[in-house]
Amino acid sequence: MFVSELFYSIQGEGVLAGAPSVFIRTSGCNLRCSWCDTPYTSWAPEGSHRTLDELCAYVREHSTGYTVITGGEPMIAPEIVELTQRLRASGEHITVETAGTVYAPVECDLMSISPKLANSTPTDAGEWAARHERLRLQPEVLARLVAGWTYQLKFVVRGEEDLQEIDALLESISYSPDRVLLMPEGTDPSVLGERSQRVGEMCKKKGFRLSPRLHVLLYGNRRGT
């Protein structure tokens, strides 16, 4: 499996924010978000090929029970299903973080789905701009993921103008409002603080949850966190 990094840190986002977790970050993505905070897994994928034995050994050495498989887009990794099966057999709580554009029959305790809104589409990116816009929302895949696993729907938000798009997307699937999280976009703690206040008001208005970016507040915007 092509992996950009392995690390043990604190889950910074979503309903499990604060949980010590092992992270397996795959490299490679079918999207190109304008604000991507891991461009080394998408715009310029880098990493090394790791065997499943190596990945499982790292998890055994470091984990306290929670493993997060993220990316990039982990659902396109060729060995993703077998990896999750092996982690499940070892007793791990498994979170898969995905944009929700691809389906794979993984073993998963929390399907963390982050559908990409129009604010993610890059400009001046040649054919990637059109490809990203075409692929970023796949309602049929989203519906299948939501129906198949315990899930969270985590939207990266820049402002209240994003709510209309979120509402339209949610109308196309069956969901529970308490599984919808709004997360402010940004990698600077001061920017996140200001945006979090505004996004928090949006959550109060809609009955959604506010997701922090706890790892950025704790460690800054750097790898291995």
Side-chain angles (χ1 to χ4, degrees):
M1 182 175 284
F2 194 41
V3 173
S4 71
E5 56 185 349
L6 298 171
F7 56 95
Y8 179 56
S9 188
I10 298 294
Q11 172 61 275
E13 301 173 356
V15 298
L16 291 177
S21 305
V22 170
F23 288 79
I24 300 172
R25 187 182 298 284
T26 64
S27 196
C29 191
N30 60 339
L31 301 178
R32 294 294 185 273
C33 295
S34 59
W35 38 252
C36 180
D37 60 355
T38 57
Y40 50 91
T41 69
S42 59
W43 288 97
E46 59 183 66
S48 59
H49 291 278
R50 303 291 189 99
T51 68
L52 297 189
D53 285 343
E54 290 175 319
L55 297 178
C56 291
Y58 185 90
V59 171
R60 284 196 302 272
E61 181 180 356
H62 296 89
S63 178
T64 56
Y66 290 89
T67 294
V68 180
I69 306 174
T70 186
E73 176 50 75
M75 295 288 261
I76 66 174
E79 296 175 289
I80 183 65
V81 173
E82 184 179 354
L83 174 61
T84 62
Q85 290 171 342
R86 293 181 60 168
L87 292 173
R88 169 58 55 78
S90 67
E92 286 297 300
H93 179 287
I94 304 164
T95 298
V96 175
E97 297 186 336
T98 176
T101 62
V102 178
Y103 176 87
V106 295
E107 296 285 342
C108 181
D109 297 284
L110 177 63
M111 186 66 71
S112 181
I113 312 165
S114 183
K116 299 303 182 266
L117 303 176
N119 65 38
S120 70
T121 301
T123 58
D124 302 322
E127 71 174 66
W128 264 116
R131 181 176 176 181
H132 178 96
E133 184 62 23
R134 184 177 73 253
L135 295 177
R136 65 181 177 85
L137 292 179
Q138 301 294 325
E140 291 184 2
V141 176
L142 287 176
R144 195 174 181 187
L145 295 175
V146 166
W149 288 272
T150 299
Y151 68 92
Q152 61 183 12
L153 287 162
K154 180 160 54 71
F155 293 94
V156 176
V157 174
R158 280 182 167 170
E160 192 156 354
E161 64 275 8
D162 294 323
L163 280 180
Q164 185 174 355
E165 186 180 2
I166 292 171
D167 286 342
L169 176 60
L170 292 175
E171 287 178 1
S172 69
I173 60 174
S174 177
Y175 73 98
S176 175
D178 69 346
R179 306 306 295 181
V180 177
L181 298 94
L182 306 185
M183 184 173 71
E185 188 271 323
T187 56
D188 179 87
S190 62
V191 172
L192 285 174
E194 187 273 329
R195 286 182 177 169
S196 292
Q197 292 183 24
R198 289 190 283 115
V199 175
E201 292 303 311
M202 294 163 61
C203 289
K204 288 162 62 178
K205 177 180 178 180
K206 302 295 296 185
F208 300 152
R209 296 189 185 189
L210 174 68
S211 173
R213 302 206 75 207
L214 184 59
H215 55 299
V216 176
L217 299 177
L218 291 174
Y219 307 113
N221 182 34
R222 62 185 177 88
R223 296 193 191 189
T225 60

